[in-house]
């Protein structure tokens, strides 16, 4: 007996939801021009809230820099044991013990299907030198992706990668516990707009830079609740949320970009973070949120799986029946 399940040969992708309305417009104020050449990404410090941690590459290799609010370099670090690469992403997160650590990596390497992230403890004192590093290998579940943002949720101690695409962006979650071998990324959702940078505020909101504006979500699983139009140029790479969550810094183009400050609106009903969220620990299980794309494998894949289950049940029934007749 052959059981066949049919379905559409192709399933049309859902059209992206309309862009939310602009909720505020913010003028860009000049912040600083950093002394560091060609900064690639930035994040505000935890132990040093007035410091911006940034990564940059030069002929001497990639380094981690501590830059103050006037753009002055306060310290420069090498990562001992990290392989040579042009780092383009950085974020910061506390572990289950409350210790803050910096993750840096080359998200563009993910186009090959996997990438390396390096974790170092946030230095307690600002003094140049070498930092011991732990390296983790991450693997995408569905092929290669070029990343646009590396960001960490301070409430859940969870790290995410958002991809860089022309019209949309996929959000991938790192496991809650990172091991020494391949760490499988979990596809969390798809955003129907391009992302060029992102960060969490300390209270858990997500602030994303697109190609045309800045968008705010109440959390990584929420929809866009606020949109900020700004006169700031959004073509540069570095982007970060200030420690107080009241402004973002965006970089202009060039090897010595001018950073501009853009004021963020106060949270409203659509972006108020969930106060009931409990922090995760290093012993938390990996995330397993479903993708917004629907059933695993699509309709065809799900139909095939159901067909196999039915075939197995029918086969078992015929086997039992044959045993009974054989023993009669």
């Amino acid at each position: 007996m052959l059981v066949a399940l049919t379905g559409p040969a192709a399933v049309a992708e859902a059209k992206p939801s309309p862009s939310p309305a602009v909720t505020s417009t913010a003028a860009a104020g000049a912040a600083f021009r950093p002394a560091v050449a060609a900064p690639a990404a930035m994040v505000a410090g935890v132990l040093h809230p007035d410091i911006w941690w940034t990564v940059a590459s030069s002929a001497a290799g990639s380094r981690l820099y501590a830059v103050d609010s006037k753009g002055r370099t306060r310290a420069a670090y090498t990562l001992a044991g990290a392989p040579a690469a042009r780092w383009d992403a950085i974020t910061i997160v506390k572990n289950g013990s409350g210790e803050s650590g910096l993750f840096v990596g080359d998200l563009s390497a993910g186009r090959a299907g996997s990438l390396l992230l390096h974790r170092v403890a946030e230095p307690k004192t600002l003094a140049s030198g070498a930092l011991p590093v732990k390296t983790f290998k991450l693997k995408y579940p569905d092929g290669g992706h070029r990343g646009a943002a590396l960001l960490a949720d301070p409430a859940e101690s969870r790290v995410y990668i958002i991809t860089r695409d022309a019209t949309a962006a996929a959000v991938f979650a790192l496991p809650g516990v990172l091991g020494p071998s391949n760490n499988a990324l979990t596809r969390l959702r798809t955003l129907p707009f391009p992302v060029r940078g992102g960060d969490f505020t300390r209270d858990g909101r997500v602030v994303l830079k697109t190609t045309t504006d800045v968008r705010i979500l109440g959390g990584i699983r929420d929809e866009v609740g606020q949109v900020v139009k700004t006169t700031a140029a959004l073509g540069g790479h570095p982007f970060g949320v200030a420690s107080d969550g009241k402004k973002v810094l965006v970089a202009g183009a060039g090897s010595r970009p001018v950073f501009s400050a853009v004021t963020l609106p106060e949270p409203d009903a659509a972006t108020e973070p969930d106060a009931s969220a409990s922090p995760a620990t290093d012993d938390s299980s990996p995330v397993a949120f479903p993708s917004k794309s629907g059933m695993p494998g699509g309709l065809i894949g799900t139909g095939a799986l159901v067909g196999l289950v039915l075939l197995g049940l029918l086969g078992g029934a015929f086997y039992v029946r044959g045993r009974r007749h054989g023993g009669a």
Side-chain angles (χ1 to χ4, degrees), residues 135-162:
T135 299
F136 304 96
K137 186 175 183 179
L138 310 179
K139 185 175 180 61
Y140 285 105
D142 54 356
H145 296 276
R146 180 185 178 188
L150 179 69
L151 61 167
D153 188 339
E156 297 181 354
S157 297
R158 190 61 56 92
V159 181
Y160 301 90
I161 293 175
I162 301 180

Side-chain angles (χ1 to χ4, degrees), residues 78-166:
T78 57
L79 273 57
R86 297 185 67 86
W87 302 327
D88 58 12
I90 185 170
T91 192
I92 192 167
V93 66
K94 289 183 178 181
N95 61 16
S97 302
E99 300 170 338
S100 57
L102 292 155
F103 281 93
V104 302
D106 176 13
L107 297 188
S108 62
R111 287 177 289 193
S114 62
L115 67 149
L116 300 178
L117 278 188
H118 313 291
R119 184 189 184 279
V120 297
E122 183 182 14
K124 295 181 179 179
T125 58
L126 300 179
S128 299
L131 299 174
V133 62
K134 288 185 178 180
T135 299
F136 304 96
K137 186 175 183 179
L138 310 179
K139 185 175 180 61
Y140 285 105
D142 54 356
H145 296 276
R146 180 185 178 188
L150 179 69
L151 61 167
D153 188 339
E156 297 181 354
S157 297
R158 190 61 56 92
V159 181
Y160 301 90
I161 293 175
I162 301 180
T163 63
R164 181 186 179 96
D165 295 293

Side-chain angles (χ1 to χ4, degrees), residues 48-241:
H48 311 280
D50 57 337
I51 287 294
W52 291 97
W53 293 104
T54 186
V55 288
S57 300
S58 65
S62 296
R63 282 192 169 90
L64 171 69
Y65 294 91
V67 177
D68 65 20
S69 59
K70 295 184 179 180
R72 299 172 299 192
T73 301
R74 299 286 300 279
Y77 301 89
T78 57
L79 273 57
R86 297 185 67 86
W87 302 327
D88 58 12
I90 185 170
T91 192
I92 192 167
V93 66
K94 289 183 178 181
N95 61 16
S97 302
E99 300 170 338
S100 57
L102 292 155
F103 281 93
V104 302
D106 176 13
L107 297 188
S108 62
R111 287 177 289 193
S114 62
L115 67 149
L116 300 178
L117 278 188
H118 313 291
R119 184 189 184 279
V120 297
E122 183 182 14
K124 295 181 179 179
T125 58
L126 300 179
S128 299
L131 299 174
V133 62
K134 288 185 178 180
T135 299
F136 304 96
K137 186 175 183 179
L138 310 179
K139 185 175 180 61
Y140 285 105
D142 54 356
H145 296 276
R146 180 185 178 188
L150 179 69
L151 61 167
D153 188 339
E156 297 181 354
S157 297
R158 190 61 56 92
V159 181
Y160 301 90
I161 293 175
I162 301 180
T163 63
R164 181 186 179 96
D165 295 293
T167 59
V171 181
F172 289 89
L174 275 67
V177 178
L178 294 174
S181 57
N182 280 345
N183 294 276
L185 295 166
T186 299
R187 190 181 183 113
L188 174 60
R189 63 181 301 188
T190 299
L191 298 168
F193 53 84
V195 172
R196 295 296 180 265
D199 201 357
F200 276 83
T201 63
R202 294 289 189 255
D203 61 6
R205 288 173 294 156
V206 179
V207 184
L208 302 177
K209 182 183 72 168
T210 76
T211 53
T212 58
D213 50 38
V214 175
R215 304 189 178 192
I216 306 173
L217 296 70
I220 197 68
R221 306 166 189 83
D222 297 328
E223 301 303 323
V224 175
Q226 293 173 306
V227 177
V228 182
K229 281 288 186 181
T230 176
T231 57
L234 300 177
H237 293 293
F239 175 82
V241 177

